[in-house]
Amino acid sequence: LKELPLLQVTAEMLMVSSEKVAHVQLNNPIEHALLILVKSGYSAVPVLDMQYKFQGIVGKNTILNEILGLERFELEKLSSVTVEDVMTSDIPCLRKSDPFLTCLKALMDHTFVCVVNANGYFDGIVTRRAVLKQLNKYIHV
Amino acid sequence: LKELPLLQVTAEMLMVSSEKVAHVQLNNPIEHALLILVKSGYSAVPVLDMQYKFQGIVGKNTILNEILGLERFELEKLSSVTVEDVMTSDIPCLRKSDPFLTCLKALMDHTFVCVVNANGYFDGIVTRRAVLKQLNKYIHV
Ligand SMILES: Nc1ncnc2c1ncn2[C@@H]1O[C@@H]2COP(=O)(O)O[C@H]3[C@@H](O)[C@H](n4cnc5c(N)ncnc54)O[C@@H]3COP(=O)(O)O[C@H]2[C@H]1O
Ligand SMILES: Nc1ncnc2c1ncn2[C@@H]1O[C@@H]2COP(=O)(O)O[C@H]3[C@@H](O)[C@H](n4cnc5c(N)ncnc54)O[C@@H]3COP(=O)(O)O[C@H]2[C@H]1O
């Protein structure tokens, strides 16, 4: 990666590939999603369908907001509400071939961005950390 | 900021100043901290003492891990455990005068870094987003 000029680095070179990305399914109860988020430590993870197509993202804040009632946390909602009911779906995605600058722009307002192929199958995620590490290498050369 | 060469940009120029940063106090019950985190939407916020000195950071994951028992979320812990009991305290900090590269390195493994003065008083935070926005401006020049 270091030899390539920064602007020729692609999303594929930066991404965490799909098998290393924690994710949840559309029809999971939000209790399952919250346990995955707490055990992995991640703030948010991708939501995939049964065919491994990208559908959206779900985070701790969305789930906690859903169960926070007027007086207390209503834990009974954890088993009755599904990921599909609360997830965020109009999320910009990248292609493996997208250049560095496209990744940088996408990460301005998102902590990670999903990479999908032409048919919508999930390839992986590009994270802010990966972009910062690449920039740090580049500035030092 | 755009006219200055990137490497002369300082933490002070990038930071969100203290009055705009959501924070909690050492002696707050973790229930109060969780409500601040859910209402603000932030994953983690700084912890200050009564004199406005920086003491550490506390996040949603730390609080959720604390209340997650073997079978269920033990909500009674929310009022009996304090922020001081669970916060992370050995966190690297910056000074207002620190240059861009020092900020970039500190943000490799942290989503934000606190800025404190020589006496430990809290000045603000530098976020990954601020660094990414500055880098994007610089690459386009
Ligand atoms: N287990 C761990 N080991 C080492 N460092 C860790 C870590 N968990 C979190 N971090 C650090 O904290 C940052 C923020 O994590 P967060 O979970 O809020 O936000 C994460 C999370 O929502 C998502 N993410 C990252 N890796 C993931 C994975 N393997 N599977 C699913 N989601 C992932 O992408 C966001 C940005 O990740 P990024 O790496 O830029 O930034 C990460 C990384 O620097
Ligand atoms: N209310 C809001 N409006 C617009 N965008 C929002 C937002 N809340 C979150 N974001 C976006 O999501 C990113 C991650 O937020 P998170 O809460 O995980 O992680 C945040 C949060 O833990 C902390 N943070 C940021 N601003 C803060 C503030 N004013 N007070 C306290 N903590 C703050 O610094 C971390 C990194 O912030 P950063 O700006 O780089 O990155 C933010 C920003 O790009």
Side-chain angles (χ1 to χ4, degrees), chain B residues 15 51-54 93-97 114-124:
Chain B
M15 78 183 192
Q51 287 84 33
Y52 224 72
K53 286 191 176 178
F54 175 69
C93 287
L94 296 169
R95 291 264 188 277
K96 274 186 176 176
S97 55
C114 292
V115 182
V116 298
N117 72 12
N119 303 319
Y121 290 99
F122 181 64
D123 286 325

Side-chain angles (χ1 to χ4, degrees), chain B residues 2-134:
Chain B
K2 201 166 181 145
E3 285 60 43
L4 263 180
L6 184 71
L7 299 183
Q8 285 169 19
V9 169
T10 63
E12 182 171 13
M13 295 170 186
L14 290 171
M15 78 183 192
V16 179
S17 61
S18 60
E19 66 283 358
K20 294 201 194 93
V21 176
H23 69 273
V24 293
Q25 302 265 340
L26 277 173
N27 57 357
N28 287 153
I30 56 173
E31 177 164 42
H32 173 75
L34 189 58
L35 288 175
I36 297 269
L37 289 167
V38 176
K39 292 284 178 228
S40 68
Y42 296 127
S43 297
V45 294
V47 178
L48 307 181
D49 64 21
M50 309 291 269
Q51 287 84 33
Y52 224 72
K53 286 191 176 178
F54 175 69
Q55 297 293 336
I57 63 170
V58 70
K60 284 182 186 126
N61 214 63
T62 310
I63 295 173
L64 291 171
N65 258 318
E66 181 68 25
I67 65 172
L68 183 58
L70 285 174
E71 304 269 312
R72 61 183 184 84
F73 285 98
E74 299 167 359
L75 293 186
E76 57 283 6
K77 283 192 170 161
L78 285 173
S79 41
S80 59
V81 176
T82 67
V83 165
E84 184 166 17
D85 298 335
V86 297
M87 71 181 190
T88 312
S89 33
D90 62 339
I91 294 279
C93 287
L94 296 169
R95 291 264 188 277
K96 274 186 176 176
S97 55
D98 280 340
F100 184 85
L101 268 187
T102 309
C103 299
L104 179 60
K105 281 198 189 357
L107 288 166
M108 286 298 165
D109 288 314
H110 303 281
T111 58
F112 70 94
V113 185
C114 292
V115 182
V116 298
N117 72 12
N119 303 319
Y121 290 99
F122 181 64
D123 286 325
I125 62 170
V126 177
T127 64
R128 281 181 172 175
R129 183 164 182 274
V131 162
L132 289 172
K133 277 184 100 85
Q134 194 57 29

Side-chain angles (χ1 to χ4, degrees), chain A residues 101-115:
Chain A
L101 268 187
T102 309
C103 300
L104 179 59
K105 281 197 192 353
L107 288 167
M108 285 300 168
D109 288 315
H110 303 280
T111 58
F112 70 94
V113 185
C114 293
V115 181

Side-chain angles (χ1 to χ4, degrees), chain A residues 42-88:
Chain A
Y42 296 126
S43 298
V45 293
V47 179
L48 307 181
D49 64 21
M50 310 290 268
Q51 289 85 35
Y52 223 71
K53 285 191 177 178
F54 174 70
Q55 295 294 336
I57 63 170
V58 69
K60 285 181 186 127
N61 214 63
T62 309
I63 294 172
L64 291 171
N65 257 317
E66 181 67 27
I67 63 172
L68 183 57
L70 283 175
E71 304 266 315
R72 60 185 183 83
F73 286 97
E74 300 167 357
L75 293 185
E76 57 282 6
K77 284 194 170 162
L78 284 173
S79 42
S80 60
V81 177
T82 69
V83 165
E84 186 167 16
D85 298 334
V86 299
M87 73 181 189
T88 311

